[in-house]
Amino acid sequence: MGVSRRHELTDDEWALLAPLLPADPPRGGRWRDHRTTVSGILYRERTGIPWRDLPERFGPWKTVYQRKRRWAMDGTWSRICAALRIDCDAEEGDEWTVGVDTSSIRAHQHAAGARRPGGGSPEKGEAARDEKGGREALGRSRGGLTTKLHLAADRRCRPIARHTTCGQRADCTGFTQVMAAIRIPRRVGRPRTRPGHVLADKAYSSKAIRSHLRRRGIKATIPIKADQAANRRKKGSRGGRPPNFDRERYKQRNTAERAFNKLKQFRAVATRYDKRDYMYQATVDIATMKIWLRDLAQDRRDTA
């Protein structure tokens, strides 16, 4: 295994990542060294420091920041994550299981105040409507400015899909979006978009979510809420049978929480510093990329 500085790419990880990065443009200047720049991006996301405080060994901070921003806008980071997940469900096959959970992310005060897409700042009357509608996935709760990060993870605690909403929204509101974001590429054929089984906590116990999973042919292990169980018993035979619940399988639900723990080792994920939602999603993708690179590099060493 190659030696690298703290928070940077090892030689094994770089060997996996290098083929997935964009090539030099056919015209104009060449890209500054990808490895140095990506290492600078990883260093900043892991430490959460201001871009201007980036160590000089990574080159000009503006170059590093602009590389992250450009690849966030054109979807490069999400495509890299998708490429790393190729056939990750092969071992489980039809029993491929994912866990879904949500975490509230505290937003730094510098994350507020993004300009409107059309330019200019909102008027006084528009500010409240923007906050209620969740512009830039920022909202106010008792903890201040927050963002809800919805995550799907496999049984090895690796993120496979993400979605963001404003912080005051309920956990279940992002369920269908995060499920729709699951796309596991195949070496041959179309990507897989449906897991065999989904694990989630009581926050996702709703008729709409269970119906959505049933229509897609996905089995669910979601505990029923106490008030829902009481209402069912109150109706007697008209309440129908309770949904199936496998207690042994439910013990694996902590994989989603452990995936959050891995992501939040990156301080720029645990605290949102990005004003724009697409930049914060790129931050999550960059942390996800590092988690997958570390895991895949370890697998290669174990099989060597």
Side-chain angles (χ1 to χ4, degrees):
M1 183 177 71
V3 178
S4 68
R5 292 174 181 256
R6 192 181 180 201
H7 306 325
E8 298 178 29
L9 294 167
T10 65
D11 290 344
D12 292 340
E13 292 170 352
W14 175 246
L16 291 167
L17 178 62
L20 307 178
L21 298 178
D24 288 325
R27 295 182 180 179
R30 299 174 64 86
W31 291 104
R32 187 179 180 87
D33 179 54
H34 276 328
R35 182 168 184 175
T36 301
T37 305
V38 173
S39 291
I41 294 170
L42 284 169
Y43 183 91
R44 185 269 172 179
E45 310 297 21
R46 191 63 180 258
T47 59
I49 61 174
W51 288 100
R52 292 177 182 272
D53 295 341
L54 206 62
E56 293 184 359
R57 67 176 182 271
F58 299 117
W61 70 267
K62 284 188 177 180
T63 300
V64 181
Y65 169 76
Q66 289 295 341
R67 188 77 55 88
K68 177 196 172 181
R69 182 175 180 271
R70 177 178 295 186
W71 288 358
M73 295 180 70
D74 64 15
T76 296
W77 297 116
S78 59
R79 286 195 294 270
I80 290 172
C81 290
L84 293 173
R85 290 192 287 260
I86 187 168
D87 283 341
C88 69
D89 63 319
E91 293 183 2
E92 298 181 54
D94 293 339
E95 288 298 311
W96 182 46
T97 302
V98 303
V100 177
D101 207 350
T102 305
S103 183
S104 184
I105 306 297
R106 179 69 182 271
H108 194 272
Q109 60 183 355
H110 294 164
R115 290 183 175 273
R116 299 175 66 80
S121 57
E123 300 294 333
K124 290 183 179 179
E126 295 177 332
R129 290 197 296 271
D130 283 340
E131 184 179 295
K132 185 177 180 180
R135 188 170 72 90
E136 302 300 346
L138 279 173
R140 287 196 180 274
S141 59
R142 283 181 290 183
L145 282 173
T146 53
T147 293
K148 277 279 180 72
L149 177 58
H150 307 263
L151 190 73
D154 66 5
R155 285 204 275 196
R156 295 181 64 178
C157 311
R158 301 176 298 190
I160 58 174
R162 53 101 181 106
H163 178 67
T164 55
T165 59
C166 51
Q168 74 272 19
R169 296 286 180 85
D171 292 0
C172 59
T173 56
F175 182 82
T176 55
Q177 289 89 341
V178 77
M179 290 297 295
I182 296 176
R183 294 181 65 84
I184 304 302
R186 303 286 197 183
R187 299 187 189 280
V188 178
R190 294 179 297 177
R192 181 172 184 175
T193 59
R194 291 188 300 174
H197 216 105
V198 168
L199 309 177
D201 60 21
K202 290 183 179 180
Y204 298 93
S205 179
S206 72
K207 185 176 180 180
I209 287 177
R210 294 183 190 275
S211 299
H212 172 76
L213 293 175
R214 196 179 301 114
R215 285 195 303 270
R216 298 188 65 195
I218 302 172
K219 298 178 182 178
T221 298
I222 305 174
I224 190 171
K225 295 179 180 179
D227 61 333
Q228 293 174 347
N231 291 334
R232 186 184 299 274
R233 288 193 300 267
K234 192 180 297 183
K235 293 179 181 179
S237 59
R238 293 181 294 107
R241 290 182 294 181
N244 293 328
F245 179 68
D246 188 340
R247 291 184 179 275
E248 287 301 315
R249 187 183 287 271
Y250 187 67
K251 292 178 181 178
Q252 303 171 11
R253 192 194 63 82
N254 62 12
T255 54
E257 296 175 349
R258 289 157 63 190
F260 270 117
N261 290 340
K262 289 183 178 181
L263 284 174
K264 288 186 176 182
Q265 291 179 13
F266 293 80
R267 293 185 178 181
V269 175
T271 300
R272 175 175 168 174
Y273 300 102
D274 302 295
K275 292 180 182 290
R276 304 303 298 270
D277 183 39
Y278 75 88
M279 286 292 281
Y280 181 68
Q281 291 186 18
T283 297
V284 177
D285 288 340
I286 291 165
T288 298
M289 177 189 74
K290 182 67 164 101
I291 291 170
W292 275 86
L293 286 171
R294 182 173 55 197
D295 192 74
L296 294 173
Q298 183 64 47
D299 288 347
R300 279 194 173 186
R301 291 194 294 270
D302 292 342
T303 56

